[in-house]
Amino acid sequence: MNELAGVQAPPKMFNFAQHLLDLNAKRPEKIAFIDDHGALSYSALDKAVRQCGAALRNAGVRREERVLILMHDCTAWPIAFLGALHAGVVPVAVNTLLTAADYAYMLQHSRAQLVVVSDALIGVLAGALAEPGHEVRQVLVVNAGVNTPGAIAGLPVARFEEWIGACEPGYPAAVDSDDPALWLYSSGSTGRPKGTVHTHANLYWTAELYGKAVLGLRADDIVFSAAKLFFAYGLGNALSFPLSVGATVVLMAERPTPEATFKRWVEAKPTVFFGAPTGFAGMLASPKLPARSDVALRLASSAGEALPADIGERFTAHFGVEIIDGIGSTEMLHIFLSNRPGKVRYGTTGWPVPGYTVELRGDDGQPVPQGETGDLFIKGPSAALMYWSNREKSRETFQGAWTKSGDKYICNDDGSYTYSGRSDDMLKVSGIYVSPFEVEATLVQHPAVLEAAVIGVNDEQGLIKTKAFVVLKADQQADEAELKAFVKDRLAPFKYPRSIVFVHELPKTATGKIQRFKLRELEATRPSIG
């Protein structure tokens, strides 16, 4: 077998679910997952996963057919996900914060045969199933209550726990390491979400090359991810990574507010926490931020958007713990460019993860000179196979061995990389490119600013100028002139925002990424920034 970055490649015939079960057969009584209702041992997980796989076969779901997972984080989530993998069925993990119209599209597009849904989400699912064009045959409800209906949109409903409990544990499907294993939908911030198809091997590579080799997760860790399991980031954080080393995972169904997160930090004592910049900013601004002595954290991770240096520095000063900032994507399944424990340069996204190669290219497709901004391309073993039924976008993104990220970066003298914004967000002001993220990262250094988003708008002469939308911290004040001067003191003069609007919140995707395009749409009808 081949090796990559010193890691043995998986065998040709490789079922990732069975791989995890085999790894943890030696620790049957250890707790694998803790959720809001109880705990699940590794032996109980093993049995339930194999029962779920058998139940899917008994239900007539065939190899490579899809099953939609619409669930809040709970112990049934990994059972359903891994059970599908075990049977050679493809789980389609979807965001729990979308609309019925979104789910109707995903059901039609994926041709899902079954849906596994949380009881609390039955209403929105019913709206989706009422739309024609899907192929769903049955609905399985997790944590079903006494008022759970016996049918949804004319389809039979079963209680998930009883449905799998009626089956004897089955054997793993003999799948190829390159067979489709799962789908994840892109955030869809600029149109219809794209069904990103990943393999069994992709899950293995991200766990080995990042979870183990970079983060150094251990069997004695207690892991807690604010990013939910349906995200590519959360799936690695709270399933494939910790289960690859035999760790324990804390799952939380509710939204990861600062208070909800602090509760888990103090009560469950996680040693490793996975979050995103927006979440870290909110926590640091909270008056309920726990003391260092109240938590057991040894490591924190951030992704989703670039982490402002100020947030990382303040978090480390308070907790004595590094935030390992990195960038990944749904298309690459997890992080491929990252800081390292003991080697953190705040304000940068760090260095390429071993096993991955990155390249910055100009508009002509050629590598840019050192120190210049370029489009980020990645080559690595976890790249998706394609976007399902979308040949045009697949060709645009997956270019031979390379994947186009859509992000712009600069390579620093020490080999680290600094984020310069999304390729479609870059602004050309006075003939010079300006990164909205650079201006935003400067604004949030002001003690009164919680969040900021920057876009380009036309002035009276039709020239592009920067405009900022700012969310202030609770009980804090700042005016436009003060913030403009603050930025001028720290950046080149042409970069300061010519106009600043104070807002209560910023439009974001369900993953917490700022939707600058929505701000641009709001400004599109205005003739100037005045």
Side-chain angles (χ1 to χ4, degrees):
M1 288 181 279
N2 296 325
E3 288 191 358
L4 182 66
V7 175
Q8 194 77 29
K12 179 66 173 170
M13 302 306 296
F14 179 76
N15 185 310
F16 185 72
Q18 187 60 44
H19 167 70
L20 293 181
L21 299 183
D22 289 342
L23 286 176
N24 293 295
K26 60 188 176 184
R27 50 178 69 89
E29 302 311 312
K30 184 174 182 182
I31 298 302
F33 291 97
I34 302 169
D35 70 4
D36 299 333
H37 302 287
L40 184 73
S41 69
Y42 272 105
S43 61
L45 175 68
D46 182 292
K47 181 180 179 182
V49 165
R50 292 188 292 120
Q51 286 177 308
C52 182
L56 287 167
R57 290 195 189 95
N58 291 348
V61 183
R62 297 174 296 180
R63 290 270 299 274
E64 296 188 19
E65 288 187 323
R66 271 75 66 189
V67 171
L68 197 83
I69 296 180
L70 175 58
M71 262 198 283
H72 293 134
D73 283 14
C74 63
T75 55
W77 205 107
I79 291 171
F81 181 85
L82 294 173
L85 294 185
H86 200 259
V89 172
V90 177
V92 181
V94 298
N95 195 321
T96 59
L97 303 174
L98 304 180
T99 66
D102 293 320
Y103 298 131
Y105 169 76
M106 293 172 176
L107 287 170
Q108 295 162 16
H109 182 248
S110 67
R111 298 193 284 274
Q113 300 297 298
L114 301 179
V115 179
V116 187
V117 62
S118 291
D119 181 68
L121 297 169
I122 286 177
V124 69
L125 175 64
L129 290 172
E131 296 296 321
H134 65 77
E135 299 182 14
V136 178
R137 296 185 279 111
Q138 186 175 16
V139 176
L140 307 168
V141 179
V142 173
N143 295 325
V146 294
N147 296 320
T148 299
I152 299 175
L155 296 171
V157 171
R159 295 171 181 261
F160 178 73
E161 295 83 1
E162 295 175 1
W163 185 75
I164 66 171
C167 292
E168 290 297 320
Y171 295 96
V175 296
D176 191 290
S177 60
D178 287 334
D179 279 350
L182 72 144
W183 289 21
L184 295 170
Y185 276 98
S186 65
S187 61
S189 59
T190 57
R192 286 291 197 186
K194 300 179 287 293
T196 311
V197 183
H198 281 285
T199 69
H200 284 261
N202 289 3
L203 290 159
Y204 170 86
W205 282 119
T206 57
E208 295 295 321
L209 296 176
Y210 193 70
K212 291 182 182 179
V214 172
L215 294 181
L217 295 186
R218 310 185 302 244
D220 61 350
D221 276 321
I222 299 174
V223 173
F224 174 42
S225 175
K228 300 301 185 180
L229 283 162
F230 58 74
F231 297 134
Y233 180 49
L235 181 64
N237 303 342
L239 197 153
S240 58
F241 292 5
L243 266 59
S244 290
V245 298
T248 296
V249 181
V250 177
L251 297 176
M252 178 175 71
E254 65 186 294
R255 289 179 58 249
T257 62
E259 291 75 14
T261 300
F262 299 156
K263 183 176 188 293
R264 273 71 181 184
W265 281 5
V266 172
E267 294 181 0
K269 299 292 185 183
T271 56
V272 181
F273 174 72
F274 294 88
T278 299
F280 283 113
M283 289 187 287
L284 289 171
S286 172
K288 297 181 180 180
L289 186 70
R292 181 186 299 194
S293 58
D294 292 333
V295 304
L297 296 176
R298 71 171 184 86
L299 188 68
S301 167
S302 179
E305 286 195 302
L307 180 75
D310 177 64
I311 292 176
E313 290 163 356
R314 287 192 288 126
F315 188 90
T316 299
H318 184 85
F319 289 109
V321 171
E322 296 173 321
I323 300 180
I324 309 303
D325 185 33
I327 181 175
S329 67
T330 304
E331 290 75 11
M332 295 300 294
L333 192 56
H334 215 276
I335 290 172
F336 48 79
L337 187 64
S338 179
N339 283 273
R340 308 279 195 279
K343 187 181 180 182
V344 171
R345 182 181 171 188
Y346 285 131
T348 79
T349 315
W351 296 261
V353 171
Y356 294 84
T357 303
V358 301
E359 190 173 272
L360 301 183
R361 300 179 186 176
D363 294 339
D364 58 1
Q366 298 302 308
V368 300
Q370 176 73 25
E372 291 191 11
T373 300
D375 291 306
L376 180 67
F377 284 73
I378 316 100
K379 182 167 62 176
S382 62
L385 291 174
M386 63 179 145
Y387 297 129
W388 183 263
S389 191
N390 196 332
R391 187 176 180 86
E392 179 182 359
K393 288 292 185 182
S394 293
R395 283 180 162 179
E396 181 182 317
T397 300
F398 306 108
Q399 301 179 13
W402 294 90
T403 300
K404 183 179 181 179
S405 73
D407 297 290
K408 285 188 178 292
Y409 267 85
I410 295 173
C411 183
N412 304 307
D413 292 339
D414 63 355
S416 65
Y417 287 76
T418 298
Y419 181 66
S420 295
R422 291 288 296 174
S423 298
D424 52 2
D425 285 333
M426 290 295 286
L427 308 173
K428 208 164 193 178
V429 180
S430 302
I432 306 173
Y433 276 114
V434 174
S435 163
F437 177 77
E438 183 182 22
V439 183
E440 293 163 4
T442 303
L443 282 166
V444 298
Q445 292 176 29
H446 190 284
V449 175
L450 178 63
E451 294 180 310
V454 172
I455 63 170
V457 296
N458 292 326
D459 67 7
E460 293 85 347
Q461 289 77 43
L463 299 174
I464 295 293
K465 302 298 180 185
T466 49
K467 181 170 186 173
F469 296 79
V470 170
V471 180
L472 295 177
K473 295 176 183 176
D475 303 321
Q476 293 288 324
Q477 293 184 342
D479 60 27
E480 186 174 5
E482 179 184 351
L483 293 185
K484 285 181 178 180
F486 185 82
V487 176
K488 282 182 182 179
D489 286 344
R490 289 159 176 79
L491 296 180
F494 66 89
K495 295 182 180 181
Y496 86 93
R498 300 307 200 274
S499 177
I500 296 177
V501 177
F502 295 95
V503 296
H504 294 297
E505 61 181 358
L506 299 173
K508 296 174 184 173
T509 68
T511 62
K513 296 179 182 178
I514 296 171
Q515 293 176 308
R516 296 181 187 85
F517 79 94
K518 288 192 174 181
L519 297 173
R520 289 194 292 267
E521 289 173 355
L522 289 174
E523 296 296 313
T525 58
R526 300 189 186 187
S528 72
I529 65 173

